[in-house]
Amino acid sequence: MHRHTEAAARPRRRRAGRTAAVLSLLASVACSSAHSPASVTIAGKPAEVSVATWNMCGVRQWSCEDTGSPKEKFQQIRDLVGDSDVRVLLLQEVCSEELVSAALRLGPEWHSVFQPYAEVDAAGTSTRVECTGQGQGQAGYGLLAASPLTDVEAVPTDQPTVGLHRGILCARVPAPGLRVCNAHIALRESDEAHLDWDFRDDQLGSLFEAAAADPRTVLGGDFNSPPPVGDGNKSAWLWPAEAYTTYRECDQKGGSRTGRPTHTDRTKIDYLFTALPRTGCQVVDTERSDHRPLVIRVRTSG
């Protein structure tokens, strides 16, 4: 997967409002679902649910050829469901057909939604990214849940004028009483026509603004940004103030904003935030991606 080392200087900022580079995302959200059993409530016992985020590195042409087969990546998803009791997954760099297949193989209660990436050229033409390999479908990001997904929303945000468009996808998960938002934030220098433009602050701002619509939101994903800590950190300005005030991060301890590495280069760039009470956090080792899954357990009642 393409990686970028942080630069020493803050990039020049541009402010022209929501530009023409913002994708018309809502029209391209794809959903798949099956019949779901009624949720079960245990009287007198606080309800808890585990949510995971994982960049699967499933787009093989993005330097992911040596990170495991689709079968091995699905096994990692199955392990998260079985070993960590994960009921909702926020997935990045997943192929559309693999996401549909995962929902079917996990069982009839599992549902998925998918949003494709888009490559935009200098003429403004948008082309979806195809996964290499027969029958893999398109490359994108999505949600996988052991419950129906409702009120699905692709959140508009500033995007590169030329280059890869990632994005933000939110949905409600009624059975555990959650709303989730999955974000794949742009790399710095994502705009091939304006290498000094940085979209991460705008996109993070859009994400936390979307999360504010419901206090029962769990938001996260691959942010392509380090935590806002350290005297030499040149990216702290990217983060909205509410990220570590209104919300708390899965791996945050006390007032600390650090966390265990989630990428094989020993950096933390994957996150899960919520205002709900946290009762657990895991960073799961895997050889099936260049990212480690991050799992948060939250209390939804009691």
Side-chain angles (χ1 to χ4, degrees):
M1 189 178 68
H2 302 302
R3 300 285 292 118
H4 196 288
T5 303
E6 292 298 316
R10 171 174 172 158
R12 188 173 76 242
R13 303 287 301 285
R14 82 277 175 271
R15 277 292 183 268
R18 295 295 169 94
T19 68
V22 176
L23 280 175
S24 298
L25 292 170
L26 287 172
S28 59
V29 176
C31 303
S32 70
S33 64
H35 296 292
S36 175
S39 59
V40 178
T41 301
I42 302 175
K45 184 176 180 179
E48 296 184 353
V49 63
S50 292
V51 179
T53 182
W54 185 34
N55 183 318
M56 295 177 64
C57 201
V59 187
R60 298 183 67 80
Q61 68 266 34
W62 290 353
S63 302
C64 294
E65 298 91 343
D66 299 325
T67 61
S69 66
K71 180 179 179 181
E72 291 171 320
K73 292 176 189 292
F74 172 73
Q75 185 58 52
Q76 179 64 71
I77 290 175
R78 188 184 289 280
D79 290 346
L80 289 169
V81 171
D83 297 343
S84 301
D85 194 28
V86 169
R87 308 303 287 168
V88 187
L89 293 103
L90 285 54
L91 300 173
Q92 308 87 43
E93 294 190 24
V94 61
C95 297
S96 57
E97 294 307 308
E98 290 180 19
L99 182 62
V100 171
S101 174
L104 290 172
R105 294 169 71 184
L106 286 171
E109 75 274 23
W110 285 83
H111 301 244
S112 68
V113 295
F114 175 81
Q115 178 68 24
Y117 299 125
E119 191 74 48
V120 178
D121 65 20
T125 302
S126 177
T127 304
R128 294 184 179 182
V129 179
E130 298 293 329
C131 287
T132 57
Q134 186 175 7
Q136 299 303 305
Q138 298 168 344
Y141 51 103
L143 301 168
L144 186 61
S147 167
L149 292 155
T150 66
D151 299 328
V152 178
E153 177 187 9
V155 177
T157 189
D158 286 350
Q159 295 282 354
T161 58
V162 179
L164 184 68
H165 287 202
R166 298 169 177 84
I168 303 166
L169 184 64
C170 298
R172 295 190 186 279
V173 194
L178 288 178
R179 181 169 177 262
V180 293
C181 291
N182 178 19
H184 195 179
I185 301 300
L187 286 163
R188 194 176 62 82
E189 296 187 358
S190 287
D191 195 324
E192 297 170 15
H194 306 280
L195 294 179
D196 57 340
W197 288 5
D198 197 327
F199 294 85
R200 291 176 296 173
D201 61 323
D202 294 305
Q203 293 182 1
L204 286 169
S206 295
L207 171 62
F208 281 92
E209 182 180 349
D214 190 331
R216 299 173 66 80
T217 299
V218 176
L219 61 147
D222 178 359
F223 290 2
N224 278 314
S225 306
V229 295
D231 294 338
N233 189 332
K234 305 300 181 181
S235 297
W237 65 275
L238 298 168
W239 289 85
E242 63 269 27
Y244 289 89
T245 54
T246 303
Y247 303 92
R248 295 183 67 80
E249 205 271 323
C250 175
D251 218 17
Q252 180 181 355
K253 293 178 173 61
S256 170
R257 300 180 178 186
T258 59
R260 287 166 285 182
T262 61
H263 194 270
T264 53
D265 67 2
R266 305 301 299 167
T267 61
K268 177 176 174 62
I269 57 174
D270 303 273
Y271 300 82
L272 287 166
F273 287 87
T274 190
L276 292 167
R278 303 169 303 159
T279 61
C281 182
Q282 294 176 273
V283 180
V284 180
D285 287 332
T286 182
E287 295 181 354
R288 294 155 184 164
S289 174
D290 55 353
H291 290 248
R292 298 180 179 91
L294 184 66
V295 181
I296 191 171
R297 191 161 184 86
V298 298
R299 183 171 298 143
T300 57
S301 68

